[in-house]
Amino acid sequence: MKRLFLLHKMPYRNYRHRRVNKNMPYNKTKVGIIGGRSVVAGELLRLLLAHNNVEITYVESSSKPDTPVGSEHPFLQGKVSLDFSQFDCDFIANNCDLVFVSRPHMQSATVIEQLHREQIKIIDMGADFRLQDPGLYPAWYNVEHPCPSIISEFTYGLSEINKAQIASSKRVANPGCYPTSVILGCFPILKVDGWDFSRIIVDSYSGVSGAGKKASDKNHFLNNYGNVIPYRFGEHPHTAEMEQALCWGSKSTKILFFPHVLPIERGIISTVFIPLPPGNKSTQKELTELYQNFYRKDVFVRVQEGYPEIKNVAHTNFCNIGLKIDERTGYLAITSVIDNIMKGAAGQGVQNMNIMEGYPEKEGL
Amino acid sequence: MKRLFLLHKMPYRNYRHRRVNKNMPYNKTKVGIIGGRSVVAGELLRLLLAHNNVEITYVESSSKPDTPVGSEHPFLQGKVSLDFSQFDCDFIANNCDLVFVSRPHMQSATVIEQLHREQIKIIDMGADFRLQDPGLYPAWYNVEHPCPSIISEFTYGLSEINKAQIASSKRVANPGCYPTSVILGCFPILKVDGWDFSRIIVDSYSGVSGAGKKASDKNHFLNNYGNVIPYRFGEHPHTAEMEQALCWGSKSTKILFFPHVLPIERGIISTVFIPLPPGNKSTQKELTELYQNFYRKDVFVRVQEGYPEIKNVAHTNFCNIGLKIDERTGYLAITSVIDNIMKGAAGQGVQNMNIMEGYPEKEGL
Amino acid sequence: MKRLFLLHKMPYRNYRHRRVNKNMPYNKTKVGIIGGRSVVAGELLRLLLAHNNVEITYVESSSKPDTPVGSEHPFLQGKVSLDFSQFDCDFIANNCDLVFVSRPHMQSATVIEQLHREQIKIIDMGADFRLQDPGLYPAWYNVEHPCPSIISEFTYGLSEINKAQIASSKRVANPGCYPTSVILGCFPILKVDGWDFSRIIVDSYSGVSGAGKKASDKNHFLNNYGNVIPYRFGEHPHTAEMEQALCWGSKSTKILFFPHVLPIERGIISTVFIPLPPGNKSTQKELTELYQNFYRKDVFVRVQEGYPEIKNVAHTNFCNIGLKIDERTGYLAITSVIDNIMKGAAGQGVQNMNIMEGYPEKEGL
Amino acid sequence: MKRLFLLHKMPYRNYRHRRVNKNMPYNKTKVGIIGGRSVVAGELLRLLLAHNNVEITYVESSSKPDTPVGSEHPFLQGKVSLDFSQFDCDFIANNCDLVFVSRPHMQSATVIEQLHREQIKIIDMGADFRLQDPGLYPAWYNVEHPCPSIISEFTYGLSEINKAQIASSKRVANPGCYPTSVILGCFPILKVDGWDFSRIIVDSYSGVSGAGKKASDKNHFLNNYGNVIPYRFGEHPHTAEMEQALCWGSKSTKILFFPHVLPIERGIISTVFIPLPPGNKSTQKELTELYQNFYRKDVFVRVQEGYPEIKNVAHTNFCNIGLKIDERTGYLAITSVIDNIMKGAAGQGVQNMNIMEGYPEKEGL
């Protein structure tokens, strides 16, 4: 199997900075968004409208064509004058350098299958191209993948881990929200001797925005207020995404993943419980330093001595990580927090676009 | 027009206490609930299950017959073993002394039309029999009333104001949530000389539970969280209910009513702004005492010197009222808070049942 | 060491029902509350005021003597006319049959040391008499116990597990909130062969009310809103309480306990991760039935097939438990939810009082 | 009295754009912040760190000198490497072009008195220099102003209304949060014949962040959650600020202002109730167009046909305004929403800095 991801933080060359002169507007990246009504699309629009190097040329919503983008995302009113458009492959090919696809799984693949012969760059915000092994998709999503032959064209877009490959890719699968928090939290010790990933526990809690905009019992205010909702114990397909990213060599990683919904809008807190290696000598302080060193060049990862809290990453592209060792019971707990709509979706999408386009990584973030 | 309500706190005889001996279970009131899946029905069930003098004999939900009541109201699991039943007029007539009807407007009237020849007592939790003037219903609800001839059989069930009539009624229209807060807040000065109700302002804020259980954009968590939603300015039909209750003699009351949705589960805070009478001499303290005297026998109304707050009435049947006079601008502001599901619906329903059945008014509350 | 608790659900005789005739008021239990300003005391008052067999004779708050109880607990205004009193040992001995002590750790012990020669019954809501081994207190609370010799007089008051002992005790240590959720969740399999408690993980999330009423950074609205706050990883003294209760025979139980604060008022959700026994044959369904059987006589424990949610236990004395097995990774996850102020404190306190006084266990709950 | 504000949207010249070449960093405005630990200072830092034309040279907190700014504002960790400094007049004069002062009232004036001989520009985020009439301060704040002679140096910084004066000022008093929402909501009809401001009602609801960071009963999570807290009816000093701005010619404006605290972090919703002019002929649509025309050049004001909602302005510098006419009762209701920390404080502060420094008005916002 092709290893598009998980090469250990290969040296990543300086940004191309393709624009010689910032004042030449024709030099901007022309960006389209497919699936323009989603929560993630709204956040992408917010970020891209403030991005110095981007011109938004196309926002697709085939269910609401010719209506103003601001009618669906009222916080953008007065900032965007575009209307939603029908899906139109030719128009996209002629008017976009790069498109974000923000559709539910299966729909995303169907759209991308139509686009994938075009020369444009594609960042898929959905789940359809994250799992490299074509057999995993039907195993976890209970449905055949609509176009398994395209999967291998995609690079897994966890920006900090896979930067060099992302920079040279035209197709990027933006990671899931939970996996972003968990993989960033685990990666620095993945290849350190002794750490056993064969049976780790991940207990995660996410804000309601992860469940999307469509009204349902699950996101009814009365069901969330003052409540926590456990769901999909051991069955969430993000499990496969985490396990894929946290394999290494002969290491066979298995994860028990238990997601819950919190009564907040944004944010994920994931706790990973890993047994300490037998005869472990690393202190909490040393491990924290190892992490800080690992992420020293990554502007969006903060490794902390205290406990990470969602409020410090909400509305940002940061991932905050804290490590706690309990010698008495022999466990390491890794706490990792992100904004699920930012670093867990739109923020990382823009970060990946910056890497692909040679812009400074934190431009517009 | 028959004046079923608004007689000024007529002397109300002692409770009948129809049961000579508390230990005789056959003496309990057999109660049915129609529209058993609603938020209000859930709260009614919670209250009635703990009520010493009630046996629940019937819970109707024609959309989910033969499923356990606890499946719809999981907080009641282990406390109730009933299943939902189809609507069945004969069964109700034979097995219930009293039914609560908790259906949306129009549906409530349709059900009651079928029941109204029966000898059972009926408390309608809906809006269909609150407006005594048959012309008001189509004016405010934009639809013809399905059975206007029955309207006059109903007593307006604002417990504190209309106690004597409720006690002798077999048909009670339980008040709306907003009107309960506003009418209790205004009634003590309605007949005091000088107070002019011809053009008062009512600014109200309610928790999301008022909007019911059915998932919609309006009660989507992401639309409510961190937000306040104004709606139906000047058009909410509760306006008519308030105006009807706050007329007196030749006083022609007009109310500008502006409702909003708060990001909380339960509670209403209503502020009524009334101009001080010309040459007003009443101090805030005197007015507070007038109110305290007016409600001195009403166990569920607390007139306070400070500001009423929702948290002190949530999950209770209380209405807290506070009065503030601003001499500089010449206004009285009446702040009134209730739990919209309790005093604004199910709690007042049980209070009315207690009054109708001769039980102590606060039994089960 | 004396085994005051953890005897396996010994047969528990019928309630004494000490009162022959319900109408004889002198027969009521005269109850006092020490530490009357706390959140837990407020909830105790709410419950006891509605309890048919209780008369509240004394509410101590030495910091606010002679002020109305309702001024501190405004939701009780109009329901209680008592004032707070100074601490007065003689008065308590002469006027109370039973006192609840709701003071911070160390203070609770100091008060009880003064009272313990009196014949009155004592339910300590605090932490000082939960740990039977006198060496554990200084190890987990970092301070010497003020009166270690009294510890052995106390029965651990986890109602469902220790009912018979509670019924015959005059001194009861009401359990902590987290331990209540965790012990009830684990107890049914504690003595089943194969389940290994030597290194289990407990990940718990609690509402803010657990942190008390005193304003601090930790309970500042801006620190909690939209946030989750991890704290005291591996160091929370409730760990010792759980481990004490979950030892059995030669089983040496060790727990990694990781508590967090949720942005809600009430409720705890605890997830216990336990490895499946080697060669486990029990299905999720069988295990659920084992639990349901274990708690079949316990009115306040609901074992569910689905996921327990806080909203279904908030404002109740219930503990809801759900079991999930993941064969792929070999773990059982036990999810247990309670209202931390009810089953986690005041509710269980009243339940214990009912057991001690021979009243029906759910009286007033 | 000098009219520093309320001149009717005088023609405002094009921005100076003082920097010829964007790449010359020495050209940036050197900005200091005094009172660096406040909520508003945190937001100012967040905005200024992303501002292309600003260099932060000084952040004062005399209570925590030499500690990292990020320790107080953890969401800024990794973005700011400055430490807090002691107050030092000389250092400020030598190292800052402009300072924001974010201190409680009275303290702000004391600081500014020391600075006011320096040539630096000052934007006071506090309340001390908003009221032009020196007699108003003691009347509303119940304390003598520490330096009334300086008041007249300040321009009232309501950006949209007072742009020309702000552009030429070195001293700007940033408006209060409530007044910003109310004045923007009322200003367009202030000078239209017939509208009577002599006795208007303003009912406002604000998020908890308005109450600051210091832990107190008022911002305790348990007091805010599920609650609304009315306060300072008719007594809030922002009343004077609104009345000052809404006088015109012989028009004597009096406002009954009733503020409340909402259980959200950010946002204000203000409703202004004004009687329709006698014989009013303006429709809601015409009035909306009048407003849209009035604010047509103001990028941060959105006049809407529907109801404004807080969620659409949260975390932005926008003010959304909606107008509703009720002919039946003869009232206009103006609903105005802002983010109290952004347009109500830090956002408008940066907007004013942009105007004073000749940068595009929405730079960094």
Side-chain angles (χ1 to χ4, degrees):
Chain A
M1 193 179 87
K2 181 180 152 218
R3 284 202 77 90
L4 271 182
F5 51 96
L6 295 192
L7 301 181
H8 184 177
K9 290 178 82 68
M10 273 179 46
Y12 169 57
R13 308 300 164 90
N14 282 334
Y15 302 110
R16 286 179 284 139
H17 290 299
R18 63 177 199 164
R19 297 196 305 155
V20 176
N21 183 324
K22 277 189 183 181
N23 298 322
M24 303 176 76
Y26 49 83
N27 225 10
K28 290 187 174 184
T29 302
K30 288 176 289 177
V31 172
I33 296 176
I34 293 170
R37 294 175 63 199
S38 72
V39 172
V40 170
E43 191 81 350
L44 277 172
L45 284 160
R46 188 182 70 77
L47 293 169
L48 295 171
L49 286 165
H51 195 292
N52 289 323
N53 308 120
V54 159
E55 181 189 2
I56 300 173
T57 54
Y58 176 75
V59 187
E60 184 267 358
S61 168
S62 297
S63 61
K64 286 213 171 173
D66 304 321
T67 59
V69 167
S71 67
E72 186 69 29
H73 304 293
F75 59 96
L76 296 177
Q77 277 164 18
K79 301 179 83 169
V80 59
S81 52
L82 287 164
D83 284 353
F84 289 120
S85 302
Q86 295 276 11
F87 181 75
D88 180 335
C89 207
D90 286 346
F91 185 90
I92 296 167
N94 292 326
N95 291 278
C96 300
D97 301 320
L98 182 151
V99 289
F100 291 93
V101 182
S102 177
R103 283 274 186 82
H105 76 273
M106 297 296 289
Q107 292 185 28
S108 191
T110 310
V111 160
I112 287 170
E113 198 177 10
Q114 297 175 62
L115 283 174
H116 96 286
R117 276 175 229 281
E118 308 296 341
Q119 287 305 304
I120 57 171
K121 294 177 180 172
I122 299 175
I123 299 177
D124 182 24
M125 308 303 288
D128 289 348
F129 300 99
R130 293 176 190 155
L131 300 178
Q132 290 292 317
D133 176 348
L136 285 174
Y137 193 87
W140 286 92
Y141 287 93
N142 297 316
V143 64
E144 287 302 311
H145 194 288
C147 47
S149 65
I150 307 180
I151 296 176
S152 63
E153 298 179 14
F154 276 78
T155 297
Y156 187 65
L158 192 55
S159 317
E160 282 74 15
I161 305 301
N162 231 12
K163 209 167 286 183
Q165 292 89 324
I166 295 166
S168 59
S169 296
K170 300 197 72 162
R171 303 286 186 262
V172 167
N174 213 56
C177 50
Y178 291 119
T180 296
S181 68
V182 171
I183 300 168
L184 289 176
C186 292
F187 208 81
I189 54 167
L190 178 63
K191 281 163 286 178
V192 176
D193 281 348
W195 292 97
D196 177 7
F197 281 69
S198 65
R199 204 181 169 202
I200 65 174
I201 290 170
V202 175
D203 202 23
S204 289
Y205 291 72
S206 168
V208 181
S209 55
K213 263 174 133 164
K214 200 177 166 187
S216 73
D217 283 353
K218 196 170 168 186
N219 51 36
H220 192 303
F221 186 85
L222 299 184
N223 279 343
N224 287 283
Y225 187 76
N227 198 23
V228 169
I229 307 178
Y231 71 109
R232 301 191 82 173
F233 171 82
E235 294 173 1
H236 197 295
H238 282 183
T239 308
E241 195 180 333
M242 299 175 200
E243 289 182 351
Q244 167 184 263
L246 296 175
C247 285
W248 188 253
S250 61
K251 243 180 204 176
S252 161
T253 293
K254 271 200 192 151
I255 294 175
L256 173 60
F257 174 50
F258 197 174
H260 305 70
V261 180
L262 287 172
I264 65 174
E265 183 193 347
R266 283 157 174 256
I268 283 178
I269 179 165
S270 290
T271 312
V272 183
F273 295 96
I274 309 184
L276 294 177
N280 170 60
K281 295 243 165 44
S282 300
T283 63
Q284 190 170 293
K285 193 164 177 302
E286 287 164 354
L287 215 53
T288 302
E289 285 166 1
L290 182 155
Y291 268 66
Q292 285 168 336
N293 187 50
F294 186 92
Y295 288 121
R296 70 192 176 284
K297 293 186 181 167
D298 295 300
V299 289
F300 291 120
V301 178
R302 297 187 282 212
V303 180
Q304 311 187 279
E305 288 182 31
Y307 296 103
E309 296 184 19
I310 287 172
K311 78 177 163 67
N312 295 327
V313 297
H315 298 278
T316 82
N317 199 47
F318 281 94
C319 174
N320 284 12
I321 297 171
L323 304 163
K324 294 287 169 186
I325 283 178
D326 185 54
E327 297 284 359
R328 204 177 64 91
T329 55
Y331 281 109
L332 165 68
I334 305 166
T335 302
S336 172
V337 296
I338 59 169
D339 180 318
N340 56 312
I341 301 299
M342 286 290 294
K343 183 61 181 170
Q348 187 156 246
V350 171
Q351 188 180 359
N352 283 331
M353 179 196 75
N354 287 338
I355 296 170
M356 294 163 81
E357 291 289 281
Y359 300 134
E361 195 171 338
K362 61 182 177 175
E363 184 67 45
L365 290 168
Chain B
M1 192 179 90
K2 179 177 153 222
R3 284 202 76 89
L4 271 183
F5 50 95
L6 296 191
L7 301 180
H8 185 178
K9 289 180 84 66
M10 273 180 46
Y12 169 56
R13 307 300 165 90
N14 281 337
Y15 302 110
R16 287 180 280 138
H17 290 299
R18 63 177 200 163
R19 296 197 307 154
V20 177
N21 182 327
K22 277 188 181 179
N23 298 322
M24 303 177 77
Y26 50 82
N27 225 9
K28 289 188 175 185
T29 302
K30 288 175 289 175
V31 172
I33 296 176
I34 294 169
R37 294 176 63 198
S38 73
V39 173
V40 170
E43 190 82 350
L44 276 172
L45 284 160
R46 189 181 69 77
L47 294 169
L48 294 171
L49 286 165
H51 196 291
N52 289 324
N53 308 120
V54 159
E55 181 190 3
I56 300 173
T57 54
Y58 176 75
V59 187
E60 183 268 356
S61 169
S62 297
S63 61
K64 285 214 172 174
D66 305 321
T67 58
V69 166
S71 67
E72 187 68 31
H73 304 293
F75 59 97
L76 296 177
Q77 278 165 17
K79 301 180 83 170
V80 60
S81 52
L82 287 164
D83 284 354
F84 289 120
S85 302
Q86 295 275 12
F87 181 74
D88 180 336
C89 208
D90 287 345
F91 184 90
I92 297 168
N94 291 327
N95 291 279
C96 300
D97 301 320
L98 182 151
V99 289
F100 292 93
V101 181
S102 177
R103 284 273 186 84
H105 76 273
M106 296 296 289
Q107 292 184 28
S108 190
T110 309
V111 160
I112 287 171
E113 199 177 10
Q114 297 176 61
L115 283 174
H116 95 286
R117 276 175 229 283
E118 308 297 340
Q119 287 305 305
I120 57 172
K121 294 177 180 172
I122 300 175
I123 299 178
D124 182 24
M125 308 303 287
D128 288 348
F129 300 99
R130 293 176 191 154
L131 299 178
Q132 289 292 317
D133 176 348
L136 286 173
Y137 193 88
W140 287 91
Y141 287 92
N142 297 316
V143 64
E144 287 301 312
H145 194 288
C147 48
S149 64
I150 307 180
I151 296 176
S152 63
E153 299 179 14
F154 277 78
T155 297
Y156 186 66
L158 192 54
S159 317
E160 282 74 16
I161 306 301
N162 231 12
K163 209 167 287 183
Q165 292 88 325
I166 294 165
S168 58
S169 295
K170 300 197 73 160
R171 303 284 187 264
V172 166
N174 213 58
C177 50
Y178 291 119
T180 295
S181 69
V182 171
I183 301 168
L184 289 176
C186 292
F187 208 81
I189 55 168
L190 177 63
K191 282 164 284 177
V192 175
D193 282 349
W195 293 96
D196 177 7
F197 281 70
S198 65
R199 203 182 170 202
I200 64 174
I201 290 169
V202 175
D203 202 23
S204 290
Y205 291 72
S206 169
V208 180
S209 56
K213 262 174 133 166
K214 200 176 166 187
S216 73
D217 282 354
K218 197 171 167 187
N219 51 37
H220 192 303
F221 186 85
L222 299 183
N223 279 343
N224 287 283
Y225 187 74
N227 198 23
V228 169
I229 307 178
Y231 70 110
R232 302 191 82 174
F233 171 81
E235 294 173 1
H236 197 295
H238 282 183
T239 309
E241 194 180 333
M242 298 176 200
E243 289 182 351
Q244 167 184 264
L246 295 174
C247 285
W248 189 253
S250 60
K251 245 180 202 175
S252 161
T253 293
K254 270 198 193 153
I255 294 175
L256 173 58
F257 173 51
F258 198 174
H260 305 71
V261 180
L262 287 172
I264 65 175
E265 182 193 347
R266 284 158 173 255
I268 283 177
I269 179 165
S270 291
T271 311
V272 184
F273 295 96
I274 309 184
L276 294 177
N280 171 61
K281 296 241 164 44
S282 301
T283 64
Q284 190 170 293
K285 192 166 178 302
E286 287 164 354
L287 215 54
T288 302
E289 285 166 0
L290 182 154
Y291 269 65
Q292 284 168 336
N293 187 49
F294 186 90
Y295 289 121
R296 70 191 175 284
K297 294 186 180 165
D298 294 300
V299 289
F300 291 119
V301 178
R302 296 187 283 213
V303 180
Q304 311 187 278
E305 288 182 32
Y307 297 102
E309 296 184 20
I310 287 171
K311 79 176 162 67
N312 295 326
V313 297
H315 299 278
T316 82
N317 199 47
F318 281 93
C319 175
N320 284 12
I321 297 171
L323 305 163
K324 293 287 170 187
I325 283 179
D326 184 54
E327 297 285 358
R328 204 178 64 92
T329 55
Y331 282 108
L332 166 68
I334 305 166
T335 302
S336 173
V337 296
I338 59 169
D339 180 318
N340 56 311
I341 301 299
M342 285 291 293
K343 183 62 182 170
Q348 187 156 244
V350 171
Q351 189 180 359
N352 283 331
M353 180 196 75
N354 287 338
I355 295 170
M356 293 163 80
E357 290 289 281
Y359 301 133
E361 196 171 338
K362 61 181 177 175
E363 183 67 45
L365 289 169
Chain C
M1 191 179 90
K2 180 180 153 220
R3 283 201 78 89
L4 271 184
F5 51 96
L6 295 192
L7 301 180
H8 184 180
K9 290 179 82 66
M10 272 179 47
Y12 169 55
R13 309 299 165 89
N14 281 336
Y15 302 111
R16 287 179 281 138
H17 289 299
R18 62 176 199 164
R19 297 197 305 157
V20 177
N21 183 325
K22 278 189 182 181
N23 298 322
M24 303 178 75
Y26 51 81
N27 225 8
K28 290 188 174 184
T29 302
K30 288 175 288 175
V31 172
I33 296 175
I34 294 169
R37 295 176 62 198
S38 73
V39 172
V40 170
E43 191 81 350
L44 277 173
L45 284 161
R46 188 181 69 77
L47 294 169
L48 295 171
L49 286 164
H51 196 292
N52 289 322
N53 308 121
V54 159
E55 181 190 1
I56 301 173
T57 53
Y58 176 74
V59 188
E60 182 268 358
S61 170
S62 297
S63 61
K64 285 213 172 176
D66 304 321
T67 59
V69 167
S71 67
E72 186 69 28
H73 304 292
F75 59 96
L76 296 177
Q77 277 164 19
K79 300 179 84 169
V80 60
S81 52
L82 286 164
D83 283 354
F84 288 120
S85 301
Q86 294 275 12
F87 181 74
D88 180 336
C89 208
D90 287 345
F91 184 90
I92 296 168
N94 291 327
N95 290 279
C96 300
D97 300 320
L98 183 152
V99 289
F100 292 93
V101 181
S102 178
R103 285 272 186 85
H105 75 274
M106 295 297 288
Q107 291 184 28
S108 192
T110 310
V111 160
I112 287 170
E113 199 177 10
Q114 298 175 61
L115 282 175
H116 95 286
R117 277 175 227 283
E118 308 297 340
Q119 287 306 304
I120 57 172
K121 294 175 180 173
I122 299 175
I123 300 177
D124 182 25
M125 308 303 287
D128 289 347
F129 300 98
R130 294 177 190 154
L131 300 178
Q132 289 291 317
D133 175 348
L136 285 174
Y137 193 88
W140 286 92
Y141 287 92
N142 297 315
V143 63
E144 288 302 313
H145 194 288
C147 47
S149 65
I150 306 181
I151 296 176
S152 64
E153 298 179 14
F154 276 78
T155 297
Y156 187 64
L158 192 55
S159 317
E160 283 74 15
I161 305 303
N162 232 11
K163 209 167 287 184
Q165 291 87 328
I166 295 165
S168 58
S169 296
K170 300 197 73 160
R171 303 282 186 265
V172 167
N174 213 57
C177 50
Y178 291 119
T180 294
S181 69
V182 171
I183 301 168
L184 289 176
C186 292
F187 207 81
I189 54 167
L190 178 63
K191 282 163 285 177
V192 176
D193 282 348
W195 293 97
D196 177 7
F197 281 70
S198 65
R199 203 181 169 202
I200 65 174
I201 290 170
V202 176
D203 202 23
S204 289
Y205 291 71
S206 168
V208 181
S209 55
K213 264 175 132 167
K214 200 176 166 187
S216 72
D217 282 353
K218 197 171 168 188
N219 51 36
H220 193 302
F221 186 86
L222 298 184
N223 280 343
N224 287 281
Y225 188 75
N227 198 23
V228 169
I229 308 178
Y231 70 109
R232 301 190 84 172
F233 170 81
E235 294 173 1
H236 197 295
H238 281 184
T239 308
E241 194 180 332
M242 298 176 202
E243 290 182 351
Q244 167 185 264
L246 295 174
C247 284
W248 188 253
S250 60
K251 246 181 202 176
S252 161
T253 293
K254 270 198 194 155
I255 294 175
L256 173 59
F257 174 51
F258 196 174
H260 305 71
V261 181
L262 288 171
I264 65 174
E265 183 194 346
R266 284 158 174 255
I268 282 177
I269 179 165
S270 291
T271 311
V272 183
F273 296 96
I274 309 184
L276 294 177
N280 172 61
K281 294 242 165 43
S282 301
T283 63
Q284 191 170 292
K285 193 167 177 301
E286 287 164 354
L287 215 54
T288 302
E289 285 166 1
L290 182 154
Y291 269 65
Q292 285 169 337
N293 187 50
F294 187 90
Y295 288 121
R296 70 190 176 284
K297 293 187 180 165
D298 294 300
V299 289
F300 291 120
V301 177
R302 296 186 285 211
V303 180
Q304 312 188 278
E305 288 182 30
Y307 297 103
E309 296 184 19
I310 287 171
K311 79 177 161 68
N312 295 326
V313 297
H315 299 279
T316 81
N317 199 47
F318 281 94
C319 174
N320 285 12
I321 298 171
L323 305 163
K324 294 286 170 187
I325 283 178
D326 185 54
E327 296 286 357
R328 204 178 64 91
T329 55
Y331 282 107
L332 165 69
I334 305 165
T335 302
S336 172
V337 295
I338 58 169
D339 180 318
N340 57 310
I341 301 299
M342 286 290 295
K343 183 62 181 168
Q348 187 157 244
V350 171
Q351 189 180 357
N352 283 331
M353 179 196 76
N354 287 338
I355 295 169
M356 294 162 81
E357 290 288 282
Y359 301 134
E361 195 171 337
K362 61 182 177 176
E363 184 66 45
L365 288 169
Chain D
M1 193 180 89
K2 180 177 154 223
R3 284 201 78 88
L4 271 182
F5 51 97
L6 296 192
L7 301 181
H8 185 179
K9 288 179 86 65
M10 273 180 47
Y12 170 56
R13 308 299 165 89
N14 282 334
Y15 302 110
R16 287 179 282 140
H17 291 300
R18 63 177 199 164
R19 296 196 307 154
V20 176
N21 183 324
K22 278 189 181 180
N23 297 321
M24 302 177 75
Y26 51 81
N27 225 7
K28 290 189 175 184
T29 302
K30 288 176 290 174
V31 172
I33 296 176
I34 294 170
R37 294 176 62 198
S38 73
V39 173
V40 170
E43 191 81 349
L44 277 172
L45 284 160
R46 188 181 70 77
L47 293 168
L48 295 171
L49 287 164
H51 196 291
N52 289 322
N53 308 120
V54 159
E55 181 190 1
I56 301 173
T57 53
Y58 176 75
V59 188
E60 183 269 356
S61 170
S62 298
S63 62
K64 285 212 172 175
D66 304 322
T67 59
V69 166
S71 67
E72 187 69 29
H73 304 293
F75 59 96
L76 296 177
Q77 278 164 18
K79 301 179 83 170
V80 59
S81 52
L82 286 164
D83 284 353
F84 288 120
S85 303
Q86 294 275 11
F87 181 74
D88 179 336
C89 208
D90 286 346
F91 184 90
I92 296 167
N94 291 328
N95 291 279
C96 301
D97 300 319
L98 183 151
V99 288
F100 292 93
V101 181
S102 177
R103 283 273 185 84
H105 77 272
M106 296 296 289
Q107 292 184 27
S108 191
T110 309
V111 160
I112 287 170
E113 198 177 10
Q114 297 175 61
L115 284 174
H116 95 286
R117 276 176 229 283
E118 308 298 340
Q119 286 306 304
I120 57 171
K121 294 176 181 174
I122 300 175
I123 299 178
D124 182 24
M125 308 303 287
D128 289 347
F129 299 98
R130 295 176 189 153
L131 300 178
Q132 289 292 317
D133 175 347
L136 285 174
Y137 193 87
W140 286 91
Y141 287 92
N142 298 315
V143 62
E144 287 301 313
H145 194 288
C147 47
S149 65
I150 307 180
I151 297 175
S152 63
E153 298 178 14
F154 276 79
T155 297
Y156 186 65
L158 193 54
S159 317
E160 283 74 15
I161 305 303
N162 231 12
K163 209 167 287 182
Q165 292 87 325
I166 295 165
S168 58
S169 295
K170 301 196 72 161
R171 303 284 187 263
V172 166
N174 213 57
C177 49
Y178 291 118
T180 295
S181 69
V182 171
I183 300 168
L184 289 176
C186 291
F187 207 81
I189 54 167
L190 177 63
K191 282 163 283 177
V192 176
D193 281 348
W195 292 97
D196 177 7
F197 281 70
S198 65
R199 203 182 168 201
I200 64 175
I201 290 170
V202 176
D203 202 23
S204 289
Y205 290 71
S206 169
V208 180
S209 55
K213 263 175 133 166
K214 199 176 166 187
S216 73
D217 282 352
K218 196 169 170 189
N219 51 35
H220 192 302
F221 186 85
L222 298 184
N223 280 343
N224 287 282
Y225 187 75
N227 198 22
V228 169
I229 307 178
Y231 70 109
R232 300 192 84 172
F233 171 81
E235 293 173 1
H236 196 295
H238 282 183
T239 308
E241 194 180 334
M242 298 176 201
E243 289 182 351
Q244 167 185 263
L246 294 174
C247 285
W248 188 254
S250 61
K251 245 181 201 174
S252 161
T253 292
K254 271 198 192 154
I255 294 175
L256 173 59
F257 173 51
F258 196 174
H260 306 70
V261 181
L262 287 171
I264 65 174
E265 182 193 346
R266 283 158 174 256
I268 282 176
I269 179 165
S270 291
T271 311
V272 183
F273 296 96
I274 310 184
L276 294 177
N280 171 60
K281 294 241 163 45
S282 300
T283 64
Q284 191 170 292
K285 192 165 179 302
E286 287 164 354
L287 216 53
T288 302
E289 285 165 1
L290 182 154
Y291 269 66
Q292 284 169 336
N293 187 49
F294 187 91
Y295 288 122
R296 71 192 175 283
K297 293 186 181 167
D298 294 301
V299 291
F300 291 120
V301 178
R302 297 187 283 212
V303 180
Q304 312 187 278
E305 288 181 31
Y307 297 103
E309 296 183 21
I310 288 171
K311 79 177 161 68
N312 296 327
V313 297
H315 298 278
T316 82
N317 199 48
F318 281 93
C319 174
N320 284 12
I321 297 171
L323 305 164
K324 293 287 169 187
I325 282 178
D326 185 54
E327 297 285 358
R328 203 177 66 90
T329 55
Y331 282 107
L332 166 68
I334 305 165
T335 302
S336 173
V337 296
I338 58 169
D339 180 319
N340 55 311
I341 301 298
M342 285 290 294
K343 183 62 181 169
Q348 187 156 247
V350 171
Q351 189 181 359
N352 283 331
M353 179 197 74
N354 287 338
I355 295 170
M356 293 163 81
E357 291 288 281
Y359 301 134
E361 194 171 336
K362 61 182 177 175
E363 184 67 45
L365 288 169

